[in-house]
Amino acid sequence: MNISESFGCNEKGHLTIGGADAVELAKEYSTPLYVLDEQEIRKNCRGFVNSMNEYYGGNGLVLYASKAFSCKEMYRIVMSEGMGADVVSGGEIYTALKAGFPMDKIYFHGNNKTYDELVFAIESGVGRIVVDNIFELETLNSLAAKYGKKIDVLLRIKPGVNAHTHDFVRTGQIDSKFGFALETGEAMEAIKAANASVGINLVGIHCHIGSQIFDISPFEYAAKVMLEFIEKIEKDEGIEIVELNLGGGFGIKYLDSDNPAPFQNYMERVSKVIKSECAAREIKTPYILIEPGRAIVGAAGATLYTIGAVKEIPDIRTYVTVDGGMNDNPRYILYKSEYEAAVADKFSQERDFTVTIAGKCCESGDLIQENTKIQKPEIGDTLAVFSTGAYNYSMASNYNRIPRPATVMVNNGESRVIIKRETYEDIIRNDV
Ligand SMILES: *Cc1c(COP(=O)(O)O)cnc(C)c1O
């Protein structure tokens, strides 16, 4: 198994995560348990930051897309790596604020930011608001008058590039709830409206073409489309665009067979496109933002469960039930997402048992993975599911009134709790 450098095997034949014995972690902190490897997270941060410096002369900022995994400690780590952050809600702004994150390095996204969230963002000094629609622009313009200041915005553009894991299409992605469409002229109308709004300072444009993208060519293509638009804005309307935010979506390994392009190649190849396009179009090279989320934390994490039952249905399948499920990892029930799993106690052995991993929720569809290979499962074993660092804790729920697991950060074998396990008291906290 080679998901990331976070996972290894020790002399006991146990799985290690960030150098810590996973079976011991399960004992010490109980299960289910989210475990993250700080070294891997920091390595990924540095990979993006260094490539921005090396290939684009540092004329940009790497933003951590914090919806992937948001908690105070994560903002502290990202901050210490010199990055900014992208947020999508008042709750994420609040968490970043409480972690002492520099608010001027925050970009606020979302297709329906509420009035209260916009007020909170302005009062907190959020650096940029990425405007999704014309109503939001009008609200911001009136808030600017109220607060007596100009608000720095980017506009979210639908560039007509829609990428998936292995391929992308170049046309007709008008049907998305996010942003202004390029093809219909809607985007240019929005640019003019923003430029004409006295309270708005139009700084740049943004696009985000998808998630879990394995190839770099759709990003190159999106950069080209966006620069063509910038040229048009500058030449036809005389409006200067200084920031280009190219979004996130860099793919990671979920399966051993996955083969995403190393993200270091992203800035190398996209920088080339940006420089040559700008030279050809005689426009200034913009300040670039990129927004990796999953690529920072995904493969740095695993979830540990305890196996509670092994139910063999002859000639059909074998269910291995664990003490978590769709409440801590809703990605399988939502998207049929694929994961690798292993028995942490027997990590050095062959994975030659085909099982379906089921959760404990009252829901037949509550599965973590179907027909996957693990070592021979026994009651009480610790089962690890890999690449769960992104979009697991952040998407977790209290369905069935199950408390959310703790998150433990491991650094060179040393572990610490960064999010406490919820208690039953937490579950009823807001009940009246
Ligand atoms: C979700 C999102 C990201 C991050 O996506 P990943 O696939 O986790 O890299 C970045 N930017 C925006 C606007 C997003 O919505």
Side-chain angles (χ1 to χ4, degrees):
M1 214 206 56
N2 64 345
I3 298 293
S4 78
E5 286 173 19
S6 296
F7 310 115
C9 191
N10 65 15
E11 65 290 344
K12 290 181 186 156
H14 291 179
L15 166 70
T16 59
I17 307 173
D21 185 313
V23 178
E24 295 300 321
L25 289 173
K27 259 191 218 137
E28 183 175 354
Y29 299 103
S30 184
T31 56
L33 185 71
Y34 296 117
V35 184
L36 289 169
D37 173 15
E38 184 166 352
Q39 289 301 320
E40 184 73 13
I41 293 172
R42 289 187 182 274
K43 188 186 82 185
N44 293 336
C45 290
R46 284 168 202 168
F48 281 104
V49 172
N50 292 343
S51 67
M52 177 68 82
N53 292 336
E54 186 174 347
Y55 299 108
Y56 202 65
N59 186 26
L61 184 64
V62 181
L63 308 173
Y64 168 58
S66 60
K67 74 174 193 274
F69 175 75
S70 172
C71 71
K72 284 161 66 178
E73 185 68 355
M74 190 62 200
Y75 289 106
R76 290 185 202 112
I77 289 173
V78 166
M79 173 167 61
S80 76
E81 295 296 336
M83 289 161 61
D86 122 16
V87 300
V88 293
S89 72
E92 288 182 356
I93 295 174
Y94 186 78
T95 310
L97 197 60
K98 290 291 172 181
F101 202 88
M103 285 293 126
D104 59 326
K105 285 187 176 175
I106 296 253
Y107 284 63
F108 185 20
H109 292 277
N111 66 309
N112 188 9
K113 306 171 190 79
T114 66
Y115 184 83
D116 289 349
E117 283 178 320
L118 290 172
V119 166
F120 182 43
I122 292 166
E123 291 186 346
S124 307
V126 160
R128 301 278 187 272
I129 296 179
V130 184
V131 175
D132 178 88
N133 58 70
I134 213 77
F135 314 102
E136 183 185 341
L137 190 67
E138 285 162 8
T139 306
L140 282 174
N141 196 34
S142 64
L143 281 170
K146 188 172 161 194
Y147 284 88
K149 61 173 169 190
K150 279 208 166 213
I151 296 170
D152 294 327
V153 310
L154 275 67
L155 298 191
R156 176 152 185 171
I157 308 297
K158 290 184 239 192
V161 184
N162 192 8
H164 300 283
T165 304
H166 296 297
D167 59 348
F168 70 102
V169 288
R170 297 190 170 185
T171 50
Q173 197 225 350
I174 298 170
D175 183 13
S176 160
K177 70 170 187 174
F178 295 106
F180 301 98
L182 209 52
E183 294 98 322
T184 59
E186 184 191 23
M188 189 59 96
E189 286 310 310
I191 293 283
K192 287 192 243 172
N195 189 54
S197 305
V198 289
I200 300 291
N201 180 27
L202 176 62
V203 180
I205 55 176
H206 166 267
C207 69
H208 174 70
I209 58 171
S211 268
Q212 187 57 2
I213 302 167
F214 277 14
D215 191 9
I216 292 176
S217 48
F219 293 110
E220 292 177 308
Y221 184 69
K224 225 179 242 186
V225 171
M226 294 295 274
L227 288 164
E228 186 184 335
F229 186 46
I230 289 178
E231 179 190 18
K232 202 161 154 39
I233 296 167
E234 298 195 349
K235 295 196 174 150
D236 293 0
E237 305 298 330
I239 301 167
E240 200 194 358
I241 297 293
V242 294
E243 287 190 7
L244 174 58
N245 185 330
L246 292 167
F250 316 105
I252 63 163
K253 268 180 99 81
Y254 283 102
L255 298 181
D256 278 335
S257 55
D258 284 341
N259 194 17
F263 53 70
Q264 288 82 354
N265 295 358
Y266 169 83
M267 277 312 294
E268 183 179 5
R269 282 180 48 187
V270 171
S271 296
K272 258 188 213 146
V273 169
I274 296 169
K275 287 176 196 161
S276 67
E277 287 288 315
C278 288
R281 297 176 188 283
E282 298 179 312
I283 53 176
K284 261 194 253 165
T285 50
Y287 186 78
I288 293 291
L289 299 125
I290 53 171
E291 303 179 320
R294 189 189 314 266
I296 300 288
V297 278
T303 308
L304 301 179
Y305 302 101
T306 301
I307 296 175
V310 180
K311 201 173 277 185
E312 222 183 300
I313 306 178
D315 303 325
I316 301 183
R317 57 166 120 200
T318 299
Y319 283 102
V320 171
T321 40
V322 295
D323 51 357
M326 61 181 280
N327 42 288
D328 60 74
N329 183 354
R331 291 188 70 252
Y332 190 76
I333 202 167
L334 278 174
Y335 324 112
K336 288 260 183 289
S337 303
E338 297 182 294
Y339 288 101
E340 300 282 357
V343 176
D345 314 64
K346 303 166 188 161
F347 195 59
S348 55
Q349 299 172 22
E350 274 303 305
R351 290 191 291 164
D352 48 11
F353 270 70
T354 302
V355 300
T356 287
I357 302 165
K360 65 183 259 100
C361 290
C362 283
E363 198 84 44
S364 298
D366 170 27
L367 305 174
I368 299 281
Q369 201 63 203
E370 288 180 87
N371 303 319
T372 187
K373 291 214 157 168
I374 64 171
Q375 294 84 354
K376 183 177 168 40
E378 286 171 289
I379 314 296
D381 280 348
T382 300
L383 184 86
V385 176
F386 300 97
S387 268
T388 58
Y391 305 108
N392 271 238
Y393 169 74
S394 66
M395 293 179 99
S397 77
N398 288 126
Y399 183 50
N400 289 179
R401 293 237 136 177
I402 294 169
R404 285 182 184 78
T407 302
V408 161
M409 186 69 81
V410 179
N411 193 348
N412 288 324
E414 299 290 321
S415 61
R416 65 186 193 277
V417 172
I418 62 163
I419 305 170
K420 288 189 260 184
R421 183 177 302 283
E422 286 179 349
T423 63
Y424 291 142
E425 198 50 41
D426 291 328
I427 298 281
I428 60 160
R429 177 141 294 141
N430 295 320
D431 290 9
V432 291

